[in-house]
Amino acid sequence: MNKIVEIQYKGDYTIWMRFADGFAKEVDFKPIVGEGISAPLLNVEYFGTVAIDNGGGLEWPNGFDCCPNYLRDLVVTQQAIAS
């Protein structure tokens, strides 16, 4: 199972993440926020309140969260699209 151990909010909708295995990458969250429970994350100041949850994923105060396995897949997908 993947687990995020360190994050840095880089601005806009980008978060740099380091996983427990040492893999690190920036992720653009803009494509996955904006509707339903994620709508408040469109406010970049609110988006910056991101934290690591107990399961090693990301969470925001309103209850929106992303599991670490999904985030690892997102990183790989974004990396493949950029190539």
Side-chain angles (χ1 to χ4, degrees):
M1 180 171 154
N2 295 299
K3 186 174 183 175
I4 296 169
V5 295
E6 184 181 357
I7 59 172
Q8 293 176 5
Y9 173 54
K10 303 302 264 182
D12 201 17
Y13 300 96
T14 303
I15 299 172
W16 175 87
M17 301 177 289
R18 180 185 313 279
F19 290 83
D21 66 359
F23 178 79
K25 192 75 175 167
E26 286 186 3
V27 175
D28 177 12
F29 280 79
K30 180 75 172 170
I32 64 170
V33 299
E35 295 184 21
I37 193 170
S38 71
L41 279 64
L42 289 174
N43 175 321
V44 292
E45 288 180 18
Y46 186 79
F47 186 86
T49 64
V50 64
I52 300 172
D53 68 20
N54 291 337
L58 300 182
E59 67 179 352
W60 284 264
N62 71 335
F64 182 77
D65 62 353
C66 295
C67 86
N69 292 332
Y70 168 77
L71 292 171
R72 184 68 174 252
D73 289 344
L74 182 63
V75 168
V76 171
T77 299
Q78 286 184 358
Q79 195 169 12
I81 290 171
S83 298

